[in-house]
Amino acid sequence: MSSELVWSKLQELLAEGLRSVGDATDENALVAVQKKYLGKKGSVQAYMQHMRELAPEDRPKLGALVNEVRDKLEAHFAAAEQALRDAKLKADLKLRRVDLSLPGRSRSRGSEHVLQATQREMENIFLQMGFEIARGPQSEWDFFNFEALNFPPDHPARDMQDTLMLENGSLLRTHTSPVQIRTMISYEPPIRIIAPGTVYRRDDDVTHSPVFHQIEGLHIEKGLNLTHLRGILELFAKSLFGEKTKIRLRPSFFPFTEPSVEVDIACIFCGQKGCRLCKQTGWIEILGAGMIDPNVLKSGHIDPEVWSGWAFGVGVERVAMLLHGISDIRLFFESDLRFLKQFN
Ligand code: DAH
């Protein structure tokens, strides 16, 4: 074959190849055309066989020309392939109805439980005053829960707290007061701590739950007296229930304090006119407190001749119920979202 003939045949092949690409209506057809022209045994490559027939000076030109034809075809194939893909996608999208107004899938976010929030709020008041947080175990020894707190053995005061006993002789702590003793034994005074935590009693009605939460407060320093206790607890009550909140101290009894007091706030519901919630008295009890009994300081290895202290214990559920006007304590533990969501 003369070189001119090879040139013109190659041009024809190119034209034919370009046409076949145009005729291929799907990817399979396109692949077949590609193989036919550009495969290892394809018709473009076949032209290299004519190399020997050419004059030596024409041979490089044949190589270059074959490459040029191949490149052109390849570019064309690639474009055709892309065009086919685009068309397919378009057709596909046309079939699909995309409803842009459909709401997306959302994940609902959890939030803090109202009791947790109340406890945190109460803790923060004391943290700001320089108290630190102490903790103790929920299964507690009789010694810490009663004995060291000046409950004599077989004293009826133990019956006030319907205790849940465990098989190993310990019990579920009935209050957070044992943390007082544990703290006194572990740290040197002065001591300013609060001890929030879960406590347990065999008790169950609209205002009592067998599992509930308290925050214990303990302040040991030289020269403390009841006015210090009163001052701090008044600040606490005002921070929680509002600047205008009034408190009063009533004499009471706890084995671990002497004197003992019950702290009331002026009824926040009726402004002391008398209502169902304050039982027409104008006052609502919120916590127990008192000056630490010298016997208790001694149990905690602290010298009552040198140090004095006051303590209090306040129920978290009780405060949350007052703050939010909740009348049934069980609502806190039923995990009913209709209830819980009201506090977010
Ligand atoms: N532990 C008492 C209770 O659970 C509450 C209490 C009263 C704690 C007086 C105190 C206190 O620290 O001084 O009923």
Side-chain angles (χ1 to χ4, degrees):
M1 231 192 273
S2 73
S3 54
E4 275 72 31
L5 191 55
V6 173
W7 305 162
S8 66
K9 288 236 175 205
L10 262 173
Q11 291 302 334
E12 259 172 48
L13 189 65
L14 176 60
E16 186 193 310
L18 294 179
R19 239 180 289 122
S20 324
V21 172
D23 291 343
T25 50
D26 63 28
E27 266 176 292
N28 284 342
L30 197 63
V31 169
V33 174
Q34 201 165 8
K35 198 170 164 196
K36 182 177 167 202
Y37 289 90
L38 296 178
K40 265 193 194 138
K41 291 178 186 158
S43 35
V44 174
Q45 190 62 26
Y47 271 83
M48 293 301 271
Q49 285 166 9
H50 297 294
M51 191 69 95
R52 260 185 251 139
E53 300 159 21
L54 297 180
E57 68 272 20
D58 285 339
R59 286 177 192 171
K61 203 177 167 195
L62 176 64
L65 213 59
V66 165
N67 280 344
E68 193 187 317
V69 169
R70 187 191 297 123
D71 289 349
K72 279 187 179 156
L73 281 173
E74 258 168 14
H76 214 68
F77 280 132
E81 213 174 357
Q82 187 61 47
L84 277 178
R85 250 187 254 135
D86 289 350
K88 202 172 160 188
L89 189 67
K90 252 189 205 156
D92 198 36
L93 282 178
K94 225 182 209 169
L95 281 180
R96 251 181 253 247
R97 273 171 195 275
V98 179
D99 181 356
L100 295 176
S101 68
L102 209 64
R105 282 174 208 192
S106 64
R107 243 183 238 220
S108 52
R109 229 196 286 176
S111 58
E112 200 177 33
H113 192 279
V114 55
L115 277 183
Q116 189 69 46
T118 306
Q119 181 175 317
R120 197 170 37 77
E121 199 179 327
M122 294 163 76
E123 286 171 9
N124 281 342
I125 297 169
F126 287 99
L127 289 175
Q128 281 174 12
M129 293 193 270
F131 284 69
E132 286 180 77
I133 291 189
R135 292 182 199 279
Q138 295 181 26
S139 71
E140 186 54 282
W141 298 109
D142 181 277
F143 175 78
F144 291 108
N145 196 83
F146 293 122
E147 203 179 317
L149 287 166
N150 206 31
F151 287 79
D154 303 318
H155 192 279
R158 294 186 183 214
D159 298 340
M160 279 168 31
Q161 307 192 347
D162 295 307
T163 311
L164 296 156
M165 306 300 298
L166 298 177
E167 276 176 356
N168 67 353
S170 66
L171 44 90
L172 291 175
R173 66 177 177 191
T174 59
H175 51 178
T176 43
S177 302
V179 186
Q180 286 191 30
I181 306 297
R182 288 178 173 273
T183 308
M184 289 184 212
I185 288 174
S186 307
Y187 298 92
E188 293 290 323
I191 290 171
R192 281 179 220 96
I193 56 113
I194 50 168
T198 311
V199 299
Y200 304 83
R201 288 182 202 178
R202 200 177 149 276
D203 215 353
D204 203 359
D205 60 42
V206 286
T207 52
H208 295 90
S209 158
V211 181
F212 64 107
H213 302 85
Q214 288 186 331
I215 297 182
E216 191 81 9
L218 173 67
H219 185 184
I220 299 177
E221 207 153 321
K222 287 176 184 165
L224 289 181
N225 61 50
L226 214 52
T227 64
H228 298 106
L229 177 157
R230 197 198 146 91
I232 299 252
L233 292 182
E234 188 171 83
L235 195 58
F236 171 65
K238 285 179 190 290
S239 306
L240 266 186
F241 299 106
E243 218 14 68
K244 296 209 175 93
T245 309
K246 278 189 288 181
I247 68 164
R248 78 170 179 191
L249 272 50
R250 256 183 314 116
S252 183
F253 172 78
F254 299 103
F256 35 92
T257 43
E258 182 58 39
S260 302
V261 295
E262 212 97 55
V263 178
D264 298 339
I265 56 169
C267 184
I268 47 177
F269 299 105
C270 64
Q272 295 198 284
K273 284 189 196 77
C275 67
R276 190 174 51 86
L277 293 157
C278 62
K279 299 183 189 114
Q280 312 303 329
T281 65
W283 295 94
I284 294 180
E285 180 199 321
I286 60 160
L287 57 84
M291 299 309 292
I292 299 164
D293 191 291
N295 284 338
V296 173
L297 290 171
K298 276 187 221 158
S299 309
H301 308 161
I302 289 176
D303 185 355
E305 300 296 328
V306 180
W307 301 96
S308 53
W310 56 265
F312 69 88
V314 57
V316 177
E317 281 78 1
R318 175 138 184 83
V319 168
M321 288 169 88
L322 290 174
L323 280 177
H324 300 289
I326 295 161
S327 52
D328 188 336
I329 197 171
R330 292 168 294 204
L331 287 165
F332 290 126
F333 308 109
E334 283 168 354
S335 300
D336 185 335
L337 289 179
R338 290 169 304 178
F339 171 75
L340 295 175
K341 277 184 173 167
Q342 296 177 58
F343 308 100
N344 292 342

